Amino acid sequence: MRAAPAILLLVVLLLILGLGSMYIVPEGQQAVITQFGKPVGDPVTDAGLYFKTPFIQKVHRLEKRLLPWDGEPQNMVTQDKRNIFIDVWARWRIVEPMKFYKAVGTEQNGQQRLDESVDSAVREVIADHKLIEAVRNSNEPLKYESEELERDWAARREQINTGRIKIEAAIKERASEALTETFGIELTDVHIKRINYVKSVREKVYERMSSERRRIANLYKSEAEEEANRILGQMQKELETISGEMEQKSAEIRGTADAEVIRITGESFGKDPRFYEFLRQLEAYKKTLGRGTRLVLSTRNDFLRQIHGPDPDLEE
Amino acid sequence: MTQEFDDLQFALRHYWRQYRGRIVGAGVLVLCVWIAGSVFYKVETDSQGVVLRLGEYYDTAPPGLHTKLPWPIDAVYTVPVAKVQAVEFGQQTVTPGRRTQYAPQTEDQRTMARMLTADLNLAHVEWVVRYRIKNAKDYLFKVGGERWTDPPAVNARELISNVSEAVMRRIIGDVSVDSVITIGRERIATDATVQMQQMLDGFESGIKIQAVKLKSATPPDPVKDAFDDVNRAKQNKERIVNDAKGQSNLKIPAARGGRDRVIAESEGYAARVVMEATGRANAFLAKLAEYEKAPEVTRKRLYIETMEQVLSQVSDKIVIDESVRGILPLLQLDAADGGGQAAGPLLSGRRGGAR
């Protein structure tokens, strides 16, 4: 029993020693062991339980996961002299932890290394290309609501040779050159987040867009007039044709009928024109000598022949 | 020195003998509490629990109550896999609902919404991305935050934000401004969903995009009027052309109807006139037939019949012998009643009194 507290102390000491010689590297993490400040041995890249010399050796943990990098918008000029703001983001990984630890140290320092490499890579690549190469990704023809604009675009047609994705790849390649060899960093992705005009250029673009649209609006106005006039002109022509038809047809019909009447009466009355005249005159008297007429007759009138006395010829 | 050590030994032995029971009891209690706390764990209904054993991935636990080995052997990280979250671009919802309220747009949001189209024009696009975590293990251990922490920090929102902007701008950078504003909107949302998912899967992010919705795609404010003008002009054109067509459609059938009517009238006239003439001709021919049988007699008969009728019609008759020449000037030759005019010495009546 005398040894009991001593044993207890020993157990505690062993425990502390034991704990100090074990360490866990969880998933998503990697570690570099240093001895008296100097890195030793191989870096630990797989998750699990590991052992080291307690107190003398220290564990420096590093991210194994994909790390973010987000650049500030940079002002630069493209090959075709366009003044733009461009904003790029990237993702990177520590692939050689030993190299990284020696050359860079912490993830935060890594960010700074990326700042330098990526920003200058962006500037170089952008200066070598036209703006359209960084905006478009294919040469598919553009569709518009009005045919006029489609024709306009087809006439201008700017084709791209590189395209947005290839430019992103070019930036990544150029930035990677320094990073991998020296710092053990792998740049896995570089993407353009935003491209925008500087304010003064933006205003000009707005003006261009406005005048372009106004031109289309005016085009619609004149097309409307033209179309309406065409329709009304057509209508007028049709109306006149119809009117002409009407006149012609009715005149023909009436003319034919009138000719027929002349033929009929001519044929019939022509059989005895004098008899016709006689009848016609009698009819005329019946019609014209009406109630209000004052008739002054001479006793020589044939009707009144008997007035002087009975006809002496009758007995003959 | 030895004296102090002996004293210490003695004191320790004393305390041990005195409180042995209580010390052991307290120790056991602490051990129990510690085990209970770190052996049981609960996973919420909308989550999953990722278990690491001695740092290595061991298991993903579904919702419920589970046991594990105590810390530091086993560690559990819960991840809300069922929860759908949203990231908004270019706007911010203040009150969601059927009539969503948005906060007034800040300069930053305006900048975020502004993008270049393939014709190097500018458009304003506001969109929202809805996502959830589909793979808890990948989500925790593949894509990281600024540096390692425990529990592991994952900046999902930043990743989605970056991916979303890059993809949206890439898509819009390849179409015309008209496609963005009107014609191609559906396609843009679909393409964006596909491409964002591709990029996120490339990172093994364990994130699933549920939907990408274009909340708004408009021309920038300074050019809105000009764009509206085009729409108005287009609608006006339709209206004007339709008016003209309408006029035409009204007048032409009417004119045709008029023409047909007039032609029918003429045909009616023709029929009538020919029939009348035929009638008169036939009447004459009949009379002629009769006349030819006895011309003299017929002629006289007709004459006398006519005069009979005429002289009974005429109300004012004056019979004068020719030798009486002086009377004519004394006759009142003005029409006294009925408006008839004076006749000459022979039979000649004017129409005046024929009513």
Side-chain angles (χ1 to χ4, degrees), chain B residues 34-67:
Chain B
W34 175 68
I35 286 177
S38 91
V39 161
F40 291 104
Y41 67 96
K42 177 165 178 251
V43 177
E44 300 293 331
T45 40
D46 67 348
S47 304
Q48 283 179 344
V50 175
V51 183
L52 298 186
R53 178 159 293 172
L54 295 177
E56 270 182 81
Y57 170 73
Y58 176 69
D59 189 25
T60 308
L65 196 65
H66 303 274
T67 55

Side-chain angles (χ1 to χ4, degrees), chain A residues 54-278:
Chain A
F55 310 115
I56 299 175
Q57 290 186 331
K58 276 184 76 182
V59 184
H60 297 273
R61 298 170 187 275
L62 292 170
E63 266 283 16
K64 197 169 122 186
R65 303 181 297 177
L66 213 57
L67 288 152
W69 179 85
D70 202 343
E72 284 294 308
Q74 304 281 328
N75 181 218
M76 50 188 83
V77 179
T78 63
Q79 190 193 56
D80 51 343
K81 305 281 186 290
R82 309 242 193 184
N83 200 344
I84 54 165
F85 276 104
I86 183 163
D87 197 346
V88 162
W89 60 267
R91 286 293 184 272
W92 58 285
R93 208 192 284 281
I94 300 169
V95 285
E96 287 177 80
M98 190 57 82
K99 199 183 277 188
F100 182 82
Y101 182 76
K102 286 185 196 164
V104 185
T106 63
E107 288 93 343
Q108 209 147 341
N109 291 346
Q111 298 282 351
Q112 284 174 10
R113 296 286 175 273
L114 255 84
D115 283 345
E116 292 152 15
S117 305
V118 180
D119 279 345
S120 64
V122 172
R123 209 170 276 274
E124 282 167 30
V125 173
I126 293 292
D128 267 349
H129 292 89
K130 294 194 193 152
L131 176 60
I132 189 113
E133 299 280 1
V135 172
R136 287 212 68 173
N137 204 38
S138 77
N139 279 318
E140 264 195 56
L142 299 184
K143 297 199 183 71
Y144 289 91
E145 276 203 300
S146 76
E147 282 174 23
E148 177 74 15
L149 285 175
E150 276 194 16
R151 263 179 274 133
D152 263 4
W153 185 83
R156 267 192 291 139
R157 177 92 64 119
E158 295 178 72
Q159 301 281 68
I160 55 156
N161 304 313
T162 324
R164 197 177 183 116
I165 291 183
K166 287 207 189 124
I167 283 196
E168 287 172 345
I171 296 172
K172 182 172 113 174
E173 221 190 282
R174 206 173 285 217
S176 293
E177 282 164 10
L179 295 170
T180 322
E181 269 309 301
T182 328
F183 303 123
I185 290 174
E186 184 197 357
L187 200 58
T188 58
D189 293 81
V190 176
H191 290 290
I192 296 173
K193 191 162 93 171
R194 282 181 214 170
I195 301 182
N196 257 312
Y197 293 115
V198 300
K199 189 144 188 224
S200 56
V201 178
R202 209 192 314 156
E203 304 290 327
K204 290 210 186 78
V205 172
Y206 288 154
E207 265 176 47
R208 174 172 60 75
M209 288 173 78
S210 290
S211 65
E212 200 174 59
R213 296 287 144 165
R214 253 177 246 129
R215 188 165 59 84
I216 300 297
N218 285 337
L219 203 67
Y220 274 130
K221 279 194 198 115
S222 56
E223 274 178 9
E225 245 187 78
E226 198 186 305
E227 184 77 3
N229 283 343
R230 192 186 59 79
I231 291 173
L232 290 175
Q234 203 92 315
M235 172 186 86
Q236 233 9 70
K237 199 168 117 183
E238 182 77 8
L239 286 177
E240 269 162 36
T241 308
I242 291 172
S243 179
E245 259 177 43
M246 174 177 82
E247 303 273 310
Q248 188 200 357
K249 263 264 146 67
S250 64
E252 270 176 20
I253 291 171
R254 279 172 195 252
T256 313
D258 287 343
E260 183 72 5
V261 165
I262 290 172
R263 185 187 66 77
I264 292 173
T265 54
E267 262 181 30
S268 55
F269 301 158
K271 286 213 162 72
D272 193 340
R274 284 176 66 186
F275 180 55
Y276 173 71
E277 195 188 327
F278 171 69

Side-chain angles (χ1 to χ4, degrees), chain A residues 27 29 65-66 136 138 143-145 189 193-194 223 245 250 258 261 289 291-292 294-295 297, chain B residues 57 119 140 144 148 165 169 174 176 178 203 237 259 266 269 273 313 315-316 318 320 332 353:
Chain A
E27 296 279 359
Q29 199 181 76
R65 303 181 297 177
L66 213 57
R136 287 212 68 173
S138 77
K143 297 199 183 71
Y144 289 91
E145 276 203 300
D189 293 81
K193 191 162 93 171
R194 282 181 214 170
E223 274 178 9
E245 259 177 43
S250 64
D258 287 343
V261 165
L289 302 177
R291 204 171 328 124
R294 177 181 286 180
L295 218 53
L297 298 162
Chain B
Y57 170 73
D119 41 17
L140 288 175
W148 178 261
E165 279 205 65
R169 284 192 154 80
D174 223 4
S176 72
D178 280 19
F203 293 135
K237 175 180 166 186
R259 172 200 63 187
S266 302
Y269 163 87
V273 143
Q313 270 169 210
S315 50
D316 203 350
I318 299 174
I320 304 176
Q332 281 170 324

